[in-house]
Amino acid sequence: MKTLVVGAGAVGGFVGGRLLQAGREVDFLVRPARAEQLRQRGLHIVEGDRSEVIEATTVTADILKDPYDLVLLAVKADALPAAIADVAPAVSPDTVLVPFLNGMAHLDTLTEHFGDRVLGGVLKIGTILDDNGDIRQLLPGGQLEVGELDGDRTARVDAVADTLAIPGFTVTVVSDIVDKMWRKWVMIATVGAVTSLARGTIGDVAAVTDGAEFAAATLDEAAAVAAAARHGLGEAAHTELRNLVTASGLPMTSSLSRDLAAGRPTEVENVLGDLILRGRAAGIPVPRLEAAALTLRVHGLRQAAKDPR
């Protein structure tokens, strides 16, 4: 499948780069500055002491005109409206779109614009984008679940899975992709809230008095919102996540807490804000999530005041 990756950051750059290495036909839709950076330096993926340079083909919105078979959306939530407008020329009636965004609000936005061309996707990788524009791989490989939003097993979802099934990636077609997306949301919201409030890792939190209990209670808040939306975790998944967020010695943080520590804008609204609103609408108290959102919103206010634009 001729594939367009929208964004070449920690997620899009990594997935697109690995697809290129596996011989897939991939272009990156990026902003002019990122296109120039990739043209000059190539796409760098760094794992430990090993650095790989991949030659990447980029396109910018002003020259995009031909349709693609598969579009992978890997942008931050605040960039989604612009990305939708930019990618429109690449979307034909037969194009399939798979988003790799946090939260769930993007799904409504994308289906409003592109209808049943949109599939659900859950991607699990460990990558960050450093100050040089290089992608640093923190964990080996990757896991991807993909599926039709209505749960059907179709030829197109199998074709997407085949395209994305590359060395080092485990790709699974699932019938309950929306439930899987909610589960990931609960996880990233919990880890993001806990590590942002504590300014530390999951292991740091577990090491202090009442830390594990706080993390578990935060998980219970997020899980209750999912259950109210009829996407409950189930006992086994809840236990698995509880063990994760209370794990002693686990050096796990989140993009929310990393962006907070680095003085960058965060995705507070689509990770925590939207979950809080859904909780309030269902009458579910979420005080720990609210405290974390307040912390990140104040951070965002301060960062905005520093922005010279």
Side-chain angles (χ1 to χ4, degrees):
M1 301 180 80
K2 184 181 178 184
T3 301
L4 181 68
V5 179
V6 184
V11 175
F14 179 74
V15 173
R18 294 304 189 212
L19 287 171
L20 281 170
Q21 289 179 318
R24 304 298 194 261
E25 185 180 1
V26 177
D27 295 336
F28 292 91
L29 176 60
V30 292
R31 297 301 183 199
R34 182 62 166 157
E36 179 62 18
Q37 184 181 47
L38 293 175
R39 186 189 68 80
Q40 290 185 359
R41 300 184 64 246
L43 180 69
H44 284 242
I45 298 179
V46 182
E47 183 179 11
D49 296 330
R50 185 180 65 171
S51 179
E52 302 170 89
V53 182
I54 303 165
E55 184 176 347
T57 301
T58 63
V59 293
T60 51
D62 58 313
I63 63 172
L64 184 66
K65 59 180 180 180
D66 295 325
Y68 287 76
D69 302 310
L70 173 63
V71 174
L72 304 179
L73 288 150
V75 298
K76 295 283 191 180
D78 59 359
L80 183 59
I84 288 173
D86 290 346
V87 81
V91 179
S92 75
D94 297 323
T95 300
V96 182
L97 298 96
V98 180
F100 298 141
L101 280 79
N102 292 325
M104 292 295 293
H106 67 278
L107 208 54
D108 292 337
T109 302
L110 289 169
T111 54
E112 179 181 345
H113 283 84
F114 300 115
D116 62 4
R117 299 178 185 90
V118 181
L119 301 182
V122 173
L123 177 67
K124 299 176 183 178
I125 57 174
T127 57
I128 59 172
L129 190 70
D130 69 18
D131 293 338
N132 296 320
D134 298 344
I135 299 158
R136 295 193 171 270
Q137 184 177 357
L138 308 178
L139 299 172
Q143 298 177 21
L144 173 65
E145 295 170 313
V146 64
E148 296 280 359
L149 298 180
D150 62 5
D152 285 349
R153 184 69 178 256
T154 61
R156 68 176 188 173
V157 77
D158 286 334
V160 169
D162 288 343
T163 296
L164 298 176
I166 57 176
F169 273 65
T170 301
V171 181
T172 308
V173 176
V174 298
S175 61
D176 58 346
I177 190 61
V178 177
D179 288 342
K180 301 287 189 181
M181 293 172 72
W182 267 93
R183 178 181 174 182
K184 181 180 179 182
W185 190 12
V186 168
M187 186 272 288
I188 63 174
T190 302
V191 175
V194 170
T195 60
S196 294
L197 284 171
R199 307 299 205 278
T201 67
I202 287 295
D204 294 334
V205 174
V208 301
T209 302
D210 297 331
E213 291 78 7
F214 182 90
T218 306
L219 170 62
D220 290 344
E221 289 180 11
V225 179
R230 299 185 179 180
H231 295 286
L233 301 182
E235 184 177 352
H238 198 129
T239 299
E240 181 181 345
L241 287 182
R242 184 185 295 271
N243 291 339
L244 175 74
V245 303
T246 61
S248 176
L250 183 65
M252 185 179 193
T253 57
S254 76
S255 60
L256 287 179
S257 58
R258 290 192 295 271
D259 287 340
L260 173 65
R264 295 187 295 259
T266 74
E267 290 192 291
V268 57
E269 296 306 334
N270 67 301
V271 175
L272 296 180
D274 187 26
L275 197 63
I276 290 166
L277 288 176
R278 295 177 193 237
R280 289 174 179 169
I284 297 169
V286 287
R288 295 163 186 83
L289 297 176
E290 289 171 338
L294 177 64
T295 297
L296 293 167
R297 285 167 176 156
V298 171
H299 163 77
L301 182 67
R302 290 173 175 168
Q303 294 309 117
K306 295 177 183 178
D307 193 330
R309 289 175 295 176

